[in-house]
Amino acid sequence: MARFLILIHGDDEKWGERTDEQRAAVDAAHRAFQQAGGVVASGELDDPALAKTIHGRAGERAFVTDGPFAEFKEVLGGYYEIEAADIDEAVARASTLYETSEPHVHIEVRPLVQH
């Protein structure tokens, strides 16, 4: 089995506008996704405003700034690391995530390099 990273990107403001009922539905959908098996790791990321970014500089000391690297409306909201036979299976599984029903969301599926 190969490993894949599923990255869930979306509009942080729209995620924040969810009602309690919508949040409960999202949580239930993610629990079901995990219970289906093959999930190695997963996580929901906290508010992007709490992020720190380390900037590398050639020949100089790196420096740290507050917030994500770039200001975008869409942010990385969470991830799954899964095991799947191939990328087609990984995409099929990622396509079942709740967020695929939200037009502001896009989901990226990337193979992990096996070392």
Side-chain angles (χ1 to χ4, degrees), residues 28-76:
H30 281 285
R31 280 192 300 279
F33 185 84
Q34 289 184 13
Q35 291 170 353
V39 174
V40 175
S42 66
E44 179 181 358
L45 301 179
D46 207 335
D47 187 336
L50 300 175
K52 300 282 187 184
T53 300
I54 301 167
H55 303 268
R57 296 169 63 168
E60 296 183 41
R61 191 170 176 88
F63 65 98
V64 178
T65 59
D66 291 336
F69 177 67
E71 297 288 330
F72 292 109
K73 191 172 194 170
E74 290 184 343
V75 297
L76 178 62

Side-chain angles (χ1 to χ4, degrees), residues 2-21:
R3 288 194 176 179
F4 298 87
L5 198 58
I6 298 170
L7 302 169
I8 304 168
H9 300 266
D11 185 326
D12 195 47
E13 287 182 21
K14 291 190 185 306
W15 283 333
E17 294 169 357
R18 289 179 177 155
T19 65
D20 289 341
E21 293 80 23

Side-chain angles (χ1 to χ4, degrees), residues 41-115:
S42 66
E44 179 181 358
L45 301 179
D46 207 335
D47 187 336
L50 300 175
K52 300 282 187 184
T53 300
I54 301 167
H55 303 268
R57 296 169 63 168
E60 296 183 41
R61 191 170 176 88
F63 65 98
V64 178
T65 59
D66 291 336
F69 177 67
E71 297 288 330
F72 292 109
K73 191 172 194 170
E74 290 184 343
V75 297
L76 178 62
Y79 70 94
Y80 283 98
E81 181 182 337
I82 65 167
E83 291 182 324
D86 56 33
I87 193 147
D88 293 330
E89 179 185 336
V91 168
R93 290 181 52 200
S95 296
T96 68
L97 287 167
Y98 180 93
E99 285 81 2
T100 60
S101 67
E102 298 178 305
H104 68 93
V105 173
H106 65 273
I107 296 173
E108 179 181 357
V109 178
R110 293 186 58 181
L112 292 172
V113 175
Q114 302 297 308
H115 292 279

